[in-house]
Amino acid sequence: GQNIDQPTEMTATEGAIVQINCTYQTSGFNGLFWYQQHAGEAPTFLSYNVLDGLEEKGRFSSFLSRSKGYSYLLLKELQMKDSASYLCAVRGVMNSGYSTLTFGKGTMLLVSP
Amino acid sequence: GAVVSQHPSWVICKSGTSVKIECRSLDFQATTMFWYRQFPKQSLMLMATSNEGSKATYEQGVEKDKFLINHASLTLSTLTVTSAHPEDSSFYICSARTPAGLPGLAGGDEQYFGPGTRLTVT
C-alpha cells in the first residue's frame, strides 16, 4: 500500500521562502507529484519527480530522494496567491497493472503580508 | 492542451434520488479516467479507475452498485450516485490520463483534473 505524510499547516510571510516536506512509504514507485489546490477547486499540477534530485520551475522547485522516501516542494518569493493546499502524490503500480496516484492529506499554506 | 471538464459544477438533490456527473477530456483521448472524492479538509480519495470499454475498478470500501461508472467513449466517463444520501455530499473530482508518449508534464501518462462537482444531498 501507500502511506504519505506531510505537515497539516504552515505559515509564511510574503516574499519569504517555504519548504513543504513529504515522506512516503510505497509498495511500488513510479513518480512523485506536487499539486496546488485552492479551496473549492480541483488540484493543478506543479511538479513531477521520478529521479533523485532537484527540479526547478520558476518560483517552485521540487526535490526527491527515492532511497529516503522523501520529497520537498520549495516555494520562493512567496505571494499572497500562493495561499493554498499543497498535495504530495505518489504514483504507484497496482496489482492490476494500472498506475494510480495516492494523495497525501495536503499542507495548508497561509501566506501573510 | 489536456483540458478536462466536468458537468455539473454543483448540484443539490434530495435524498433518495440519483445524480449523474460527466467528465470529459476535451482535446485528447483518455483511455483511463479516475474518480476521486474529497470531503472538507481531507485529501482526495480515489474511488475508482475507469477504463474505456471495460468495467471500472473500484477501491476498497466503495460500493460499485451505488457509484455507477460508465466509460463508453475515449472522451467521456460518467459517475452516477444512486439513491443519494446526505453522507454522499462531497466534492467529486475526475481526472483523465494522457496516453503514454504524449508530450506533457510527466513524460506522458499524466493525469489532468476536472474542475470538480460539488454534490449536496438534502
Side-chain angles (χ1 to χ4, degrees):
Chain A
Q2 321 269 30
N3 186 38
I4 301 173
D5 290 311
Q6 50 181 131
T8 304
E9 293 180 345
M10 298 184 72
T11 58
T13 55
E14 203 171 7
I17 299 173
V18 69
Q19 177 174 312
I20 303 174
N21 296 323
C22 172
T23 58
Y24 63 91
Q25 297 91 39
T26 178
S27 57
F29 179 83
N30 192 23
L32 187 143
F33 297 76
W34 283 95
Y35 286 86
Q36 180 191 62
Q37 186 180 25
H38 286 98
E41 300 180 8
T44 56
F45 173 86
L46 289 179
S47 69
Y48 167 70
N49 295 71
V50 67
L51 300 176
D52 290 350
L54 186 69
E55 294 283 340
E56 298 186 77
K57 187 184 297 184
R59 295 191 299 115
F60 296 80
S61 303
S62 58
F63 172 83
L64 174 67
S65 170
R66 288 171 297 171
S67 62
K68 296 182 179 179
Y70 168 69
S71 172
Y72 67 72
L73 178 69
L74 192 71
L75 294 81
K76 303 176 184 177
E77 301 172 13
L78 281 173
Q79 302 174 9
M80 298 294 290
K81 66 178 182 179
D82 296 329
S83 293
S85 181
Y86 291 84
L87 305 173
C88 173
V90 172
R91 183 165 66 190
V93 179
M94 310 305 287
N95 290 334
S96 60
Y98 295 114
S99 67
T100 186
L101 284 178
T102 301
F103 285 84
K105 293 186 177 181
T107 298
M108 181 62 67
L109 173 65
L110 177 62
V111 180
S112 58
Chain B
V3 177
V4 177
S5 70
Q6 268 184 253
H7 178 80
S9 56
W10 61 270
V11 58
I12 301 173
C13 70
K14 292 185 177 180
S15 185
T17 61
S18 296
V19 174
K20 180 186 285 187
I21 303 170
E22 294 185 348
C23 177
R24 293 180 185 274
S25 57
L26 299 185
D27 51 3
F28 66 98
Q29 293 182 333
T31 54
T32 304
M33 291 183 174
F34 302 87
W35 286 98
Y36 296 85
R37 181 168 53 182
Q38 186 177 35
F39 293 106
K41 297 186 178 180
Q42 299 290 317
S43 185
L44 284 84
M45 297 300 295
L46 180 65
M47 299 176 65
T49 302
S50 169
N51 294 288
E52 186 268 337
S54 65
K55 292 183 179 180
T57 302
Y58 290 81
E59 295 301 302
Q60 190 173 7
V62 178
E63 300 175 57
K64 62 180 181 180
D65 294 330
K66 180 174 180 61
F67 299 98
L68 302 179
I69 292 174
N70 185 296
H71 194 159
S73 78
L74 288 172
T75 59
L76 173 64
S77 176
T78 61
L79 168 69
T80 301
V81 183
T82 62
S83 186
H85 291 285
E87 56 265 31
D88 298 324
S89 298
S90 186
F91 192 46
Y92 291 85
I93 304 175
C94 74
S95 71
R97 185 162 65 193
T98 60
L102 184 74
L105 302 165
D109 196 26
E110 173 57 270
Q111 288 188 39
Y112 290 86
F113 287 86
T117 297
R118 184 160 303 282
L119 170 64
T120 301
V121 184
T122 61

